[in-house]
Amino acid sequence: MKYKPLIFALTIAITLFAACGKGRGPAPKAKEDIQPVTVEELTLRPLDDFITVSGKLEGITNVTMSSEASGRILQLYKKLGDRVNRGDRIGRIDNDVYQYRLEQAEAAIASAQSGFDTAQRNLNYAEESLKKNLISQLEYNSALAAFKAAKAALDGAKAGLETARSQVSGSYFTAPESGTISNLNIAAGQYINAGAPVATITDASRLLIKTGVGESQISKLRKGQKAEIAYPGLADPIAGSVRGFGISPLPGSANYPVEIEVANPSSLLPGMVVTAKVVTDHYSDLLYSSLTYFTREFGKTYAFVIDSDNKARKQEVSLGRIIGEYVLIESGLDIGDRIVTSGAENLEEGSRVEIRK
């Protein structure tokens, strides 16, 4: 009787084991791994060839004016950042002495003009009288000498007047070109010497990029070629054009000088360093893609192509000329092929993929 509980327990255990084993079959098959990728379908497309250069922007004119006279600055009419037109006065130095000299010169020329007019009338009378033998040759010569002296005095007075006027004019700081005062070197009350810098006037209505290109690129440039100007922070590039270029390299350099003009600079200012892309050629119906979509292995170039069953195939390709960030496809790929643009690092031959947008 003592073995009955043990037999009963074993019976229950065997029953439970058998119940648990019912319905168990082979292990389920593992789900196939699908790799997400993005693709590009190859088509014939147009493509622009271009030259990329960079440089610092300058105003179309950038003039530093100097003082023509010495003296103490009495007044400034303009301030830094003001717009001026050619001929506008920016300020003046103490010119009382120059004004006094101008008044003297004006008085001197009035006197000299009067003396000249008198000498002219006397000479005319002497010429008529000599023809009628009313005066001697000596008297005529005397009238002629007086006329010449009066003319010399008048010419001297005119020169003195021009000098005085120039001195008065030089006592004013006059803008030589139109533009904006981009640098002001003087202040009221300051003493300035002749030849010292006064201000820099910059015309930024148009801007220039003065840069250079190598000998392999200079032959591609033409005057008037379009350019796109890019600057960090600008949403869209700004239009420009090639203004001109040199036919000999810059001194001490292998680069040829190039000037690119920006007609409507908008938010650009002189001094900014920008990048310009000059379009040199335009092609149509080319088969190409980005350089980054191809890999090099053991001297050969490959791309992953996705077939109609969404499986990856490693395809050897032959590439041609590089144009910017793109490369021409010479063989190995055709129109309509879908090449992997991202996710290729996880692919193997025959990998199943999911194409994502």
Side-chain angles (χ1 to χ4, degrees), residues 51 54-55 87 92 156 245:
I51 295 173
S54 61
R92 72 180 181 96
F245 52 88

Side-chain angles (χ1 to χ4, degrees), residues 27-64:
K29 188 177 180 181
K31 185 178 181 181
E32 186 176 1
D33 190 19
I34 299 178
Q35 299 294 334
V37 297
T38 59
V39 300
E40 174 188 66
E41 184 173 337
L42 296 179
T43 60
L44 294 178
R45 296 175 291 167
L47 181 62
D48 290 332
D49 195 0
F50 56 86
I51 295 173
T52 301
V53 296
S54 61
K56 184 180 293 186
L57 290 170
E58 300 180 11
I60 196 71
T61 58
N62 194 63
V63 180
T64 298

Side-chain angles (χ1 to χ4, degrees), residues 134-145:
L134 297 177
I135 61 172
S136 65
Q137 184 66 43
L138 182 61
E139 290 174 311
Y140 171 78
N141 291 343
S142 177
L144 180 60

Side-chain angles (χ1 to χ4, degrees), residues 192-208:
I192 191 170
N193 291 315
V198 172
T200 300
I201 299 175
T202 303
D203 182 359
S205 60
R206 292 175 293 160
L207 296 176
L208 285 180

